[in-house]
Amino acid sequence: MTIAIYTRSTDYLTLEELHHLLTLGNQYHIHFLFNKSYVEQTQMNLTAYSRVEELPLETQCLLSYGGDGTFLHAVNFIGSRSLPVLGVNSGRLGFLSSVNNCDTETALRALIDHSVRKEERMMIHAEGPFSSDLSELNALNEFTLQKNGLNMISIDTYVCNEYVATYMADGIIVSTPTGSTAYSLSIGGPIITPGCHCFIINPIAPHHLTMRPLIIDSSAHIKLKVTTRNNSCIATMDNRSFEVQNDAVFTLSVSPQKVQVLKPGNQTFYDTLRKKLMWGVDNRK
């Protein structure tokens, strides 16, 4: 079995954990490949790869070591290649990275026994002036427009060419169900189960307090035109940010590209909610 490892730092996959992982590889006959930047940090003789095209076709999956930020980097790295991703959490909250790093052996055994569950997650496809040489991108969590300075921005919003509203706010988030437990949740957005096919349009600190999150079907196309008193504002796709000019227009739709997320067979979305958000925990005890 061949498994690719993706991590950004020895802070996430420590040398001690690496030696344990290599021991498990020998025990279970697993060949590991590591991203080149990590190999350079370890200064060890490990099999390295720089591009997703260098991964053998028989690669079973990609293990992302870190938090949800590392997971998003991994998804961006593999691009359109249909390679399942399993997140090993050595960060903080970790909705995407669902396996604790102390349970790596259990996760590997589940991969060997084919007892992992594969979840297909939708992505946002965005078209717009991200940069001079980049006009379209995909995101697993969210697309945002945010102010670049002190002044709020105005975002004219259309759904299927029908005018919805002009949001005067610090910004706006268009989130997938996967991203509903990320930035959108932190500003009061609803939690959506990953299997739903929808987008959440959520203003960031709106000037009109009656403007609330709006859930629309993922078959809809969204058009956003941003106006700012400054010369520019910030557009983001997951953990990538771009400075865009006044009057920039973006079109959002569901991406034909999907992400295959691996989960341990006995772990559900509701288990994650109870554990990560401590639902039902009585702190008085």
Side-chain angles (χ1 to χ4, degrees):
M1 177 182 288
T2 301
I3 294 177
I5 305 294
Y6 185 94
T7 188
R8 293 186 288 171
S9 169
T10 51
D11 291 336
Y12 297 140
L13 179 56
T14 66
L15 294 180
E16 180 181 355
E17 291 169 338
L18 172 61
H19 286 295
H20 178 59
L21 185 66
L22 294 174
T23 300
L24 292 174
N26 290 329
Q27 180 180 346
Y28 295 117
H29 307 289
I30 300 173
H31 177 54
F32 291 113
L33 302 96
F34 299 84
N35 55 299
K36 185 177 179 181
S37 60
Y38 176 74
V39 173
E40 290 173 346
Q41 291 180 53
T42 64
Q43 298 182 340
M44 293 176 60
N45 185 24
L46 303 170
T47 306
Y49 63 89
S50 298
R51 298 178 297 115
V52 68
E53 293 81 6
E54 296 174 5
L55 297 177
L57 294 178
E58 66 271 16
T59 304
Q60 181 92 1
C61 69
L62 185 145
L63 258 62
S64 165
Y65 264 85
D68 284 357
T70 302
F71 192 100
L72 294 174
H73 273 280
V75 168
N76 182 45
F77 172 79
I78 63 176
S80 60
R81 179 163 175 179
S82 182
L83 186 64
V85 184
L86 176 64
V88 179
N89 184 31
S90 57
R92 292 184 288 271
L93 194 60
F95 271 94
L96 293 170
S97 302
S98 56
V99 176
N100 290 326
N101 53 359
C102 59
D103 293 331
T104 304
E105 182 174 3
T106 303
L108 292 177
R109 289 185 61 86
L111 287 169
I112 294 169
D113 298 337
H114 302 287
S115 59
V116 292
R117 189 177 69 258
K118 185 183 295 184
E119 297 180 356
E120 188 174 78
R121 302 290 182 92
M122 61 173 282
M123 300 183 77
I124 291 178
H125 179 73
E127 298 180 17
F130 290 104
S131 64
S132 58
D133 59 347
L134 191 63
S135 61
E136 56 183 294
L137 283 171
N138 293 314
L140 177 60
N141 270 358
E142 73 268 317
F143 167 88
T144 80
L145 286 169
Q146 301 179 46
K147 67 179 185 179
N148 186 16
L150 296 176
N151 296 318
M152 71 176 69
I153 58 178
S154 297
I155 306 109
D156 297 335
T157 304
Y158 299 82
V159 174
C160 295
N161 295 319
E162 182 178 350
Y163 175 68
V164 176
T166 296
Y167 293 94
M168 297 178 61
D170 284 355
I172 195 170
I173 301 173
V174 180
S175 168
T176 65
T178 298
S180 72
T181 52
Y183 194 179
S184 179
L185 179 63
S186 72
I187 60 169
I191 295 174
I192 309 292
T193 55
C196 292
H197 296 278
C198 62
F199 293 126
I200 308 163
I201 301 175
N202 202 355
I204 304 170
H207 183 63
H208 298 95
L209 297 181
T210 54
M211 287 185 160
R212 312 308 303 163
L214 177 65
I215 301 174
I216 64 170
D217 190 85
S218 63
S219 63
H221 287 68
I222 304 168
K223 185 174 78 172
L224 304 172
K225 179 181 178 182
V226 60
T227 305
T228 173
R229 294 180 184 176
N230 299 321
N231 293 325
S232 64
C233 63
I234 303 297
T236 75
M237 292 289 283
D238 286 343
N239 46 15
R240 294 157 289 173
S241 64
F242 307 86
E243 186 173 332
V244 297
Q245 300 306 306
N246 189 31
D247 293 329
V249 176
F250 293 89
T251 302
L252 312 180
S253 59
V254 65
S255 173
Q257 180 179 323
K258 309 293 183 184
V259 176
Q260 307 293 330
V261 179
L262 297 179
K263 299 284 186 179
N266 60 348
Q267 185 183 89
T268 70
F269 179 70
Y270 303 109
D271 292 331
T272 303
L273 287 179
R274 285 194 303 272
K275 181 178 180 181
K276 303 294 184 180
L277 300 183
M278 296 185 289
W279 283 6
V281 174
D282 188 348
N283 290 322
R284 297 172 298 175
K285 296 181 180 178

